[in-house]
Amino acid sequence: MAKGILARKVGMTQIFTERGTVVPVTVLESDSCLVVQRKTTSVDGYEAVQIGFGEQLSKRVNKPLTGHYKRAGVRPLRRLTELRDAGEATLGSRLRVDMFAAGELVDVTGISQGKGFAGTVKRHGFSRGPVSHGSMNTRQPGSIGSVDAARTFKGVKMSGQYGNVRRTIRRLEVVRVDGERNLLLVKGSVPGHRNSVVLVRPSDRDEKLS
């Protein structure tokens, strides 16, 4: 079975451990994660499995994708992604959260929440300028050019779009696995807004926490 799953971020809550301590967790639900395609070395040049998540209306799917889903024997899905460690997942099979175990470490990938246009203080953590009377650079970025280039070099930290980028949070502990309701409770926060789709994979260093 491919080790990885697409899930929906339900939200955050907290649970109590046997010792009575409070643990903040993010609830992830995976009720419709299906295997859409298997890629092999002989045909595609590498081993991978394509998985999909979320129902999609048939009228919103173009003809090539309609045939793609039909060959797999699954309904149209909203999100598609690939896992390079193909494993033994069969075409059209459903992936469930019980592939993970409590105490296991996972990496969660998603699109971070967009904050819109932001300045350098909020976006990059710049220090502010003086706030004394007459100061006109309280939240200004300061010098953005060089001495003799007469231009601004690429890569200078400036104001702009903040958030709405792909981010991966590594080594998050799986606190609880609810196989009946297909719920995965992960310690801490994960990228994305509520109801967004995230990818959960085993951590590169997946030793269990003591």
Side-chain angles (χ1 to χ4, degrees):
M1 185 67 68
K3 200 64 182 280
I5 197 170
L6 288 171
R8 180 177 64 91
K9 180 179 177 180
V10 179
M12 291 196 68
T13 183
Q14 58 187 18
I15 61 175
F16 288 89
T17 63
E18 297 178 355
R19 299 179 180 179
T21 57
V22 179
V23 178
V25 296
T26 301
V27 181
L28 304 176
E29 180 186 19
S30 180
D31 55 351
S32 60
C33 187
L34 304 173
V35 178
V36 179
Q37 182 184 12
R38 282 190 60 88
K39 296 192 174 183
T40 60
T41 305
S42 59
V43 177
D44 304 288
Y46 64 99
E47 293 286 336
V49 60
Q50 186 186 70
I51 59 177
F53 179 84
E55 296 184 3
Q56 179 68 282
L57 296 176
S58 301
K59 64 180 182 180
R60 295 184 179 272
V61 181
N62 57 27
K63 289 184 178 180
L65 272 180
T66 300
H68 185 62
Y69 292 129
K70 187 175 181 180
R71 285 191 296 272
V74 299
R75 59 183 180 276
L77 300 173
R78 185 177 298 273
R79 181 71 62 84
L80 292 175
T81 191
E82 280 190 7
L83 298 175
R84 294 302 292 262
D85 48 347
E88 300 297 332
T90 58
L91 198 64
S93 62
R94 181 180 178 184
L95 303 180
R96 304 183 62 87
V97 297
D98 52 13
M99 68 173 64
F100 299 101
E104 188 174 353
L105 298 180
V106 295
D107 296 340
V108 182
T109 302
I111 304 298
S112 64
Q113 297 187 32
K115 306 295 184 179
F117 188 91
T120 54
V121 174
K122 179 177 180 180
R123 191 184 188 200
H124 302 294
F126 281 17
S127 299
R128 63 167 175 80
V131 293
S132 58
H133 179 69
S135 174
M136 301 180 64
N137 64 334
T138 302
R139 297 176 70 91
Q140 296 294 328
S143 176
I144 60 175
S146 58
V147 177
D148 58 354
R151 65 189 179 90
T152 301
F153 290 107
K154 293 182 179 180
V156 176
K157 294 181 178 180
M158 302 176 69
S159 303
Q161 167 69 33
Y162 181 44
N164 195 29
V165 292
R166 182 182 174 92
R167 287 288 181 262
T168 299
I169 306 298
R170 301 188 182 277
R171 294 178 58 81
L172 296 178
E173 179 187 359
V174 177
V175 179
R176 186 178 299 172
V177 179
D178 189 343
E180 295 183 359
R181 295 185 295 176
N182 260 336
L183 296 179
L184 197 66
L185 275 63
V186 179
K187 184 178 180 180
S189 60
V190 303
H193 57 78
R194 191 174 300 165
N195 292 325
S196 63
V197 179
V198 297
L199 174 63
V200 184
R201 294 171 295 176
S203 180
D204 295 336
R205 299 177 59 187
D206 57 355
E207 58 268 16
K208 295 184 178 182
L209 298 176
S210 58

